[in-house]
Amino acid sequence: MESVKQAAVKILDEMPDDCTWEQIQVRFELYAVIQRGEREIDAGGGIPNDQVMMEAEEWLASSGRPTLAANSTES
């Protein structure tokens, strides 16, 4: 597992030389959020994808909007 410093250096190395401080900040924040989510999932947290899809279907149906299944059959 790479250290935080190693991850930061890798992120910086992958960014263009003319990037802004704001772009660096956004990239670091995104990386931190993803890492936090992965740790949560590894610890048994999070919501399974099937549950999210079921809840989205229920919400769409209750709001009178087309469901996800209906949207996926349209071309």
Side-chain angles (χ1 to χ4, degrees), residues 18-31:
D18 62 345
C19 65
T20 65
W21 285 107
E22 290 79 17
Q23 290 168 326
I24 293 170
Q25 180 180 359
V26 167
R27 187 73 56 95
F28 280 175
E29 288 173 354
L30 176 61
Y31 182 83

Side-chain angles (χ1 to χ4, degrees), residues 3 5 9 18 26-27 30 36 43 46-47 53-54 56 63-64 70:
S3 70
K5 181 178 177 181
V9 169
D18 62 345
V26 167
R27 187 73 56 95
L30 176 61
R36 195 167 35 249
I47 301 172
M53 296 302 289
M54 181 183 71
S63 68

Side-chain angles (χ1 to χ4, degrees), residues 59-67:
W59 177 79
L60 288 169
S62 71
S63 68
R65 297 181 177 155
T67 63

Side-chain angles (χ1 to χ4, degrees), residues 1 6 9 14 32 37 48 66 68 75:
M1 180 175 183
Q6 290 169 327
V9 169
E14 293 172 353
L68 297 171
S75 303

Side-chain angles (χ1 to χ4, degrees), residues 1 15-16 23 29 31 33-34 43-44 48 51-52 55-56 58-59 64 68:
M1 180 175 183
M15 296 190 73
Q23 290 168 326
E29 288 173 354
Y31 182 83
V33 167
I34 291 170
Q51 181 180 345
V52 171
E55 290 177 10
E58 290 172 358
W59 177 79
L68 297 171

